[in-house]
C-alpha cells in the first residue's frame, strides 16, 4: 500500500461535488482533499464538515493558487467548466471535470488546447464505462465472446423530467442526457460514429417542447466499422431509471438488465412482482462514481493517461449537435457536417 | 359444441401446408379437409395419409371446381398467391392465403379487387398477432395498462440465413422476414406508419449482398399517432430464434422474453445457464399457427370478418417497399411515396 | 409413419377421461378409440360426440368384452381402479390406469398379480416425468451434467384446496397430492427412498384438519444412495400452481421455474410484474398428459415395457403411508415398516 | 450530522477485523478507532497503517485499560470470545463480538451475566439480517404482504469447504455455518423454534466425516407459531455462494435470488448464461457487514438497545446443539432438551 497521496481541491459543492468529496474522503486513501469552494459558501462548509476537509476556500482562484493542491475537481455549473479548465491548466493542476466541457466546439477546443499546452492530465466525468454491467459488455466485445458486433441497443430513460428551469439551461436533452449514451456507444463498440439519424418527439411534457427541447427520441448511429446502433431515450419512465444495453455479435449477444434494490420476487394473488429498479443515477451509478475517481487519482499518481480524456469529452458533444441537426432537418447527418 | 364443419381444400403441401393440414385434422373439429394438392404429388399424398384427407387433387383447378369445398388454404409459392386468390374468389371460395400476397402493389390490388367483387372472406397468414406473448402486449396497450404508447421496439432475428437460392426469390429480407415485423408493429400499436428510415447492412454473408439483398437492419418507424418504433433484424443469431418486443408507455412499459424449451436453470462451475430458446418459427409459433386457422374457420362459419384482412396483407408490403427505398436512398421515406 | 393403430376403450368420462380422449382423438394418429363408458351416461355421450367415438358402451364389462379393443384406459374413481385392473387383465387388455391404484397395499398387490398373470402391459398415470422441465432435470442427473446428486427439493403447491367432500374420499393429502411428488422424487434421483420424516400441519383450512387430514407439509426423504430430499406441500398458494424442483449435485445444480401463460414483463409505477403462473394441472401439464398416452400407445404397439409400471404405482403408495405414519408418530419412518 | 464520535478499540486484526476496521475508518464518520491489537502484531500494524489507526496496542488488556475507548470489537478467535466479553464488561466497555460467543452454554451464560451485571451493550456479529434481500423478506412478513407465514426455506451453501484444520476447531458445521441460518430463521419468522430434525450426511469430503463433522444437511425447524422451516446446507456449491430464502404465506410467497457481479446475460451458441454469483461472504455480505457496525455504533451513541443482543447470540448455539443431537440420534429433538 503506497503512502503517496494526491492533494485535491474541489470546485463546486452541489450534488455531484458532495458525492465526489465523500468518495475521496471515505473510500480513497490515496487522496487527500485540501480545500473545497462553492459560490454557495454554506454548501461548501457542510461538505467540509462531513468530509473532514480542512479548508473552505473563498473562490476557485484561491484553490488554483494553493501550491499544495496538485489536482482539481471541477463540479460547478456547465457554463464555468471551460474557463476553469483553462485556468487550472495554466496553474499546472491536473483536472477532473464534469461533463459536458461546454456546448460549443470552439470553447471546448480552446480548453483542450490549454490542457495540452500545460501538459496536465484531464479526465471528463463520463462515469458509466466504470459500471460493472457495461464493463462486462465491453469485455464480451474485446474478448471475442460474442464475435464481431453487428447491432447495438442502448435504452436510457430517466424516471422523470428535470424542472423546466433546468431544461432551459441544460443544452437540450441530447447535450444533457443522451451525451452519456453517446459516450457509452463509443465505449462499448470501441469505434467512432460517422452518421446519426434522429426520430424525436415531445411526448412527456409539452412545456419541454415550448422551451425548444424534446423529451423522447430514437437515435440511429452508424459506426465507421459498420455497426448499427440505436439509442432509446425518454425523459420519463414511471417505473424508475431504465439503463440497459444489448449487443448482437456474430457469435452471440449480450444484454444487461436494470439494477434492483434487492433480489426478492413476491408471488401475490394478482401478479408475480419485484420492487422497482434503483430510481436514479445517484443510486444506480454509486459505484461507478467512485470508480471513475479512483481511476483519476491512480492515473495522476502513476503518471498514466486518464481513462476518459479531453477528446472523449469533445466527441459526444459533436454527436449531440449532429443528433439535434438530424432532428431539426429530419434526415441523417454525418458527424463531419458539425464536428470540424 | 357446434356440429357445423367448414369444408376446406388445401393448395400446397410444403412445410406450412403440412402444418396447417395437421392443425385442421387434429385440432379443429370445426373443419374438414376435403382435398389437398401440390405440384409435388408425393408431398400431397404424404400429408393426405398423415391427416386422413380423402382426396389428393390433380390441381388447384380441381380444388376450386369442387362444389363441396367452401374455403381454400393457399400455401403454394408466393408467385402463385395472387392468381390463386383471383381464381378462388371467382370460384366463390373463402380464402386463407400465406404472406405475402405478392411483391407488386398492382398485383395485390387486383387480387383484393377480385376478393371484394366476389364477396368472399380473405385472411392473410400473418400469424404472430395470435401469439400469447404479443397478444398480452397488445392487451397492455388497449387496456391502458401502460398508458399511451411512446416507443416501440421489435427484435426479430433468425437463427440463420436461408439458402442463397431462396434469398434470390424471396423478394428480399424486408419482404420475406421484416414483413412479419411490419405486421406486428401495426398490430401492437393499432395505427399506421407514416415514414420509415432504414439503416441496413450486409454483415452475415456477403453472398447475400451480392444477390442484391441485405441481412442486418435497424428500421425506424414513425406512426401517425406519434409513436416511434424500431425494428432490429438480423438473418443470424447463433443462439436461435430471437423474437421480442417492448413498448414504453406513459404509465409503464411491457416487454416480452423469448420462449424456451423448458424453465430449467443450471448453475455450473463456469456459468449459470439455460438451454437455448426455441430455434425457429415452427417451434416458436406452433400455437399461433393453430390459432390463426381457428380464427379463420370460426370467422367464416360465423360469417364474421376475418382477423387479418386483405388490407392487412397489402400494407406490410408497402412498408417493405418503403424500407428498401430508404435503404437505397439513405433517407427517411414516407409511405405515400411508394404506397399509392 | 406406421398405419398400425391401437384400439382403445375408455372407462370413465370425467375430467381426466375427457382429456385423454381428446389426446387420443386429435393428437395420436396411432390410436383409435373404439368405445367409451361412464356411470354418468351423458358425460360419456358428450365426450363421444366431441371426439368422434363410435360407441358409448353400457358398462365397463361391455368394453372389456369387446374383442376389437386391445387396451383400456381406467379413468374412473379410485375405489374402482383395482377391480377394473383385475377384470381388464383377465380380459387380456393392456391397461393404462390413473393413480393411485388403491389405498391398500393388499389390494394393489392383488391387482399387480393379476396383471402379471395375464401378461398384459400396465401403465400408471403418473404424468409428470413426461414434462419437459422435469425431463430436463432428469437429463442433468443421468448425463452427469451436475455430477452426483446430493440434495433434492420439490416444491408442490396447489392453487387452493379441493372441496371438503373430496378431501374425505381422497385418501388424504399424501395419497392424493404428494403421491405425484413421491413419483417425481424417484424419477429424478433414479433410486428408492429408505426413510421418511414428515413435519405437517393444518394451516389452510381447519375443516381439513377436522376431517383427519392435513394441508401443509415438509417431508424429508432419505434415499438408499444417500441423497437427501425435501418435499414442500401446501394445498393453497394464492398465486397459482407452484411446481418446481431443484437438485444440488457435486458439479452443479439445476432448478426449474414455474410455467407462465406468456413471457411478458410489465414495469409499472409500483412494481415490475408478470402474470401469475398457469393455474392448475390441466393447464400446467397439458403436454405431459399427451406425452404419457403417446408413450403408452407406442409401448404397447411396439411390445416394449411401459414407462411407468405397476411397481411405480405401488411404491408411491408405500411412501404416502410412511409419510402419514411419520406425521402421526412424529418420528422418521422406514419404508420397510409399512411397505412389506 | 452529529459531531459525536464513538471511540473504539479493535481486538483481532484477521480477515473480519480488517473489514470492520475499514468500515469504521472509511464509512462511519460517527466512529473513531483509537487502537487495534492482535496476537500477530504485523497484522495489526498493517491494518493500522491502512486505516489511520493511531495506536497498535500490545494486548487486549491495554485496549480494555484505555479510558478513551468506549467500545470494543472482539474479532479474535472463538475460544477467546467469552473471556474477552467478561473482561470488557468489567472494564465498562460496550461490546461488539463476532459469532459464536462460545460453544458451551455455561460459558455463554457466564458471559451474558457479566454483560448484564456491568450494564453495557452487547451486539453479536450476526450480519445477515442487515442484508437488503433478507430485510425485504422480513418486511413482507411484518407488513402482512404475504399474509401469515406457513413454510420457510433457507438455502445456504458455501462455495467450498474450509481447510480441514479449520473444520476441526470450528465447532462443527452447525455451530460454524448453520448458526447464521438459525439466526436468519429467527429473524425472518420473528419467533422461536421448538423442535429440530436433521437429516445430514458426508457427501463433499470424507475427511470431514473422519474429523467427526458432516458437510451436507437438511434441517427441519418447527416454530412455536406453527411455521415449518427447512435449512438446506452444503459445504460445496461449485457455482459459488448460494444464499437464498423463500417464505410461503397465506397471501403469497416471497423468494430471494442470489447476488451477481453484474446483470449481463449472454446468449451464446450453446447456452444462454450469466456469470456466477458473488463467490463468498466477503463479496456477498459487504454491505451488511457495514450496516451491522453502523447499527451498533448508532445504538451505543443513542443509548438504544442493539439490534442483535446476547440472547440472539445464545439461541442459535442452542439450535446448533439440537441439530447435532438430532443428527446423532436420528430423531426430532426439542430445544428444551439441550437449551436449559
Amino acid at each position: 500500500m503506497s503512502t503517496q497521496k494526491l492533494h485535491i481541491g474541489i470546485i463546486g459543492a452541489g450534488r455531484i461535488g458532495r458525492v465526489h468529496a465523500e468518495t475521496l474522503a471515505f473510500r480513497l486513501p490515496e487522496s487527500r482533499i485540501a480545500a473545497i469552494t462553492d459560490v454557495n459558501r454554506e454548501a461548501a462548509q457542510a461538505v467540509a464538515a462531513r468530509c473532514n476537509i480542512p479548508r473552505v476556500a473563498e473562490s476557485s482562484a484561491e484553490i488554483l493558487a494553493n501550491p499544495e493542491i496538485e489536482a482539481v475537481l471541477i463540479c460547478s455549473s456547465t457554463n464555468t467548466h471551460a474557463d476553469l479548465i483553462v485556468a487550472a491548466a495554466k496553474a499546472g493542476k491536473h483536472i477532473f471535470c464534469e461533463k459536458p466541457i461546454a456546448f460549443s466546439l470552439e470553447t471546448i477546443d480552446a480548453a483542450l488546447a490549454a490542457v495540452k499546452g500545460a501538459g496536465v492530465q484531464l479526465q471528463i466525468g463520463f462515469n458509466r464505462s466504470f459500471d460493472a454491467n457495461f464493463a462486462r459488455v465491453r469485455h464480451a466485445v474485446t474478448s471475442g465472446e460474442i464475435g464481431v458486433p453487428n447491432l447495438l441497443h442502448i435504452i436510457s430513460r430517466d424516471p422523470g423530467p428535470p424542472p423546466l428551469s433546468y431544461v432551459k439551461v441544460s443544452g437540450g436533452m441530447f447535450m444533457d442526457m443522451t451525451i452519456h449514451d453517446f459516450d457509452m456507444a463509443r465505449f462499448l463498440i470501441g469505434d467512432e460514429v460517422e452518421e446519426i439519424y434522429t426520430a424525436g418527439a415531445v411526448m412527456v411534457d409539452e412545456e419541454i417542447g415550448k422551451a425548444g427541447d424534446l423529451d423522447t427520441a430514437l437515435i440511429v448511429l452508424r459506426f465507421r466499422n459498420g455497426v448499427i446502433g440505436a439509442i432509446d431515450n425518454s425523459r420519463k419512465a414511471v417505473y424508475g431509471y431504465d439503463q440497459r444495453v444489448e449487443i448482437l455479435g456474430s457469435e452471440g449477444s449480450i444484454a444487461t438488465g436494470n439494477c434492483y434494490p434487492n433480489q426478492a420476487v413476491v408471488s401475490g394473488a394478482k401478479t408475480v412482482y419485484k420492487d422497482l429498479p434503483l430510481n436514479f443515477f445517484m443510486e444506480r451509478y454509486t459505484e461507478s462514481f467512485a470508480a471513475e475517481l479512483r481511476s483519476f487519482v491512480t492515473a495522476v499518481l502513476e503518471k498514466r493517461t486518464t481513462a476518459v480524456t479531453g477528446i472523449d469529452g469533445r466527441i459526444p458533444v459533436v454527436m449531440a449537435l449532429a443528433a439535434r441537426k438530424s432532428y431539426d432537418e429530419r434526415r441523417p447527418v454525418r458527424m463531419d457536417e458539425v464536428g470540424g
Side-chain angles (χ1 to χ4, degrees), chain A residues 5-316:
Chain A
K5 286 181 194 290
L6 185 69
H7 288 71
I8 295 175
I10 300 176
I11 301 171
R15 186 165 53 175
I16 194 68
R18 176 173 168 162
V19 167
H20 288 329
E22 294 192 355
T23 297
L24 295 174
F26 301 126
R27 301 186 59 178
L28 282 186
E30 301 81 1
S31 73
R32 189 180 160 272
I33 312 174
I36 187 167
T37 189
D38 195 286
V39 291
N40 175 345
R41 188 170 173 84
E42 267 182 38
Q45 283 170 329
V47 175
R50 165 85 179 157
C51 299
N52 305 319
I53 302 172
R55 169 90 193 141
V56 175
E58 295 294 325
S59 65
S60 58
E62 183 192 322
I63 298 266
L64 296 178
N66 184 335
E68 182 200 19
I69 289 174
E70 299 158 279
V72 293
L73 265 53
I74 302 177
C75 309
S76 48
S77 59
T78 297
N79 64 316
T80 67
H81 288 180
D83 286 350
L84 285 169
I85 287 175
V86 172
K90 284 185 183 161
K93 312 299 191 198
H94 300 294
I95 304 160
F96 179 97
C97 180
E98 278 305 310
K99 62 89 203 171
I101 302 174
F103 301 144
S104 129
L105 294 179
E106 293 72 23
T107 309
I108 292 171
D109 290 342
L112 298 191
V115 168
K116 190 173 183 187
V120 297
Q121 297 261 34
L122 170 63
Q123 180 167 332
I124 306 300
F126 284 121
N127 61 295
R128 292 191 194 167
S129 59
F130 298 93
D131 176 74
N133 279 347
F134 303 135
R136 179 65 181 82
V137 175
R138 177 62 184 153
H139 175 74
V141 171
T142 56
S143 67
E145 187 176 6
I146 58 164
V148 178
N150 290 353
L151 288 163
L152 163 73
H153 287 261
I154 296 176
I155 304 276
S156 177
R157 301 164 182 165
D158 283 358
L164 208 59
S165 58
Y166 177 82
V167 168
K168 289 174 180 169
V169 301
S170 68
M173 185 177 77
F174 299 131
M175 199 65 86
D176 174 55
M177 174 181 168
T178 321
I179 200 166
H180 273 295
D181 307 312
F182 293 138
D183 169 63
M184 279 302 298
R186 298 177 65 239
F187 168 71
L188 292 174
I189 300 302
D191 201 355
E192 298 300 340
V193 166
E194 279 186 335
E195 191 181 81
I196 287 180
Y197 173 73
T198 303
V202 178
M203 294 181 178
V204 173
D205 182 354
E206 61 182 24
E207 292 300 318
I208 291 174
K210 288 179 188 167
D213 200 5
L214 74 171
D215 53 35
T216 307
L218 188 73
I219 302 159
V220 180
L221 312 175
R222 285 176 181 275
F223 288 80
R224 280 191 318 206
N225 63 6
V227 170
I228 299 170
I231 297 172
D232 167 317
N233 280 157
S234 172
R235 281 291 197 185
K236 185 176 180 189
V238 296
Y239 48 89
Y241 198 37
D242 196 348
Q243 298 278 297
R244 291 169 289 149
V245 307
E246 177 172 342
I247 299 178
L248 172 68
S250 58
E251 303 302 327
S253 78
I254 185 165
T256 59
N258 280 316
C259 294
Y260 287 82
N262 59 65
Q263 311 302 318
V265 174
V266 184
S267 297
K270 294 189 177 169
T271 67
V272 172
Y273 62 91
K274 50 185 179 175
D275 293 344
L276 294 181
L278 295 175
N279 190 259
F280 212 4
F281 62 93
M282 299 301 267
E283 295 78 28
R284 169 67 182 80
Y285 289 118
T286 306
E287 289 305 311
S288 69
F289 283 127
E292 67 172 355
L293 276 199
R294 184 176 302 116
S295 172
F296 172 71
V297 167
T298 311
V300 171
L301 284 176
E302 300 178 357
K303 302 192 198 311
R304 289 184 289 99
T305 304
T306 57
V308 186
T309 64
I311 193 70
D312 298 317
R314 184 190 195 272
I315 293 174

